Amino acid sequence: MDILLLVVAGALLIFMFWSSSRRRKKMQEEEHKRQQQLVPGAPVMTRSGLYGTLVAFDADDLTKHAVIEIAPGVNIEVHAQTVTLDPATDEPLAEDEVDEEPLAQDEIVEHDAADDRRDDETKRD
């Protein structure tokens, strides 16, 4: 009985090590694929939440800074390991979700004022 328990415990340990190494290899492959997709012109997001277009990135040397264009003519340098593919570009919007016409400035102000009133009301409650 004791030998059977030791064999089962040993088999469980071997399975845990095998499973974790397989998962680690799979994650490394996925990360390698993502880094191969990081080419100049790709839409990216930094870990801090800045969205932009990749201008310069060296996937082989992550000690070099990555350059991201966050607005026309505005480039920033960030640590290369903070750059990821833009998750919003993975799934294109359906046609009915796309806004054909952007909001005018006065519509934005009205919307912000309505949000402020709602916030004030919830604070009072």
Side-chain angles (χ1 to χ4, degrees):
M1 185 69 172
D2 291 335
I3 294 176
L4 180 62
L5 184 62
L6 288 174
V7 168
V8 169
L12 285 174
L13 280 173
I14 291 171
F15 175 74
M16 286 182 356
F17 284 121
W18 175 75
S19 165
S20 69
S21 69
R22 193 173 121 223
R23 184 179 40 193
R24 184 175 37 250
K25 286 179 186 177
K26 187 175 182 179
M27 290 176 66
Q28 285 175 345
E29 288 174 6
E30 288 175 0
E31 182 65 26
H32 182 43
K33 286 179 185 177
R34 270 188 249 124
Q35 283 189 350
Q36 295 302 321
Q37 293 174 346
L38 290 173
V39 294
V44 294
M45 180 183 82
T46 64
R47 289 188 183 166
S48 61
L50 284 173
Y51 290 88
T53 304
L54 195 59
V55 175
F57 180 77
D58 187 3
D60 296 328
D61 186 9
L62 295 178
T63 60
K64 294 182 181 177
H65 294 189
V67 179
I68 300 174
E69 182 179 41
I70 57 174
V74 180
N75 293 340
I76 59 170
E77 288 186 7
V78 296
H79 193 282
Q81 292 179 344
T82 65
V83 178
T84 60
L85 288 174
D86 183 0
T89 60
D90 289 343
E91 295 179 17
L93 291 174
E95 286 184 26
D96 58 347
E97 294 178 11
V98 177
D99 225 356
E100 294 295 327
E101 191 175 310
L103 292 176
Q105 184 63 32
D106 56 344
E107 291 174 327
I108 295 172
V109 171
E110 289 173 11
H111 181 69
D112 290 343
D115 285 345
D116 291 342
R117 284 193 299 273
R118 249 183 276 127
D119 289 343
D120 291 341
E121 290 172 3
T122 56
K123 286 180 185 176
R124 283 188 238 145
D125 292 338

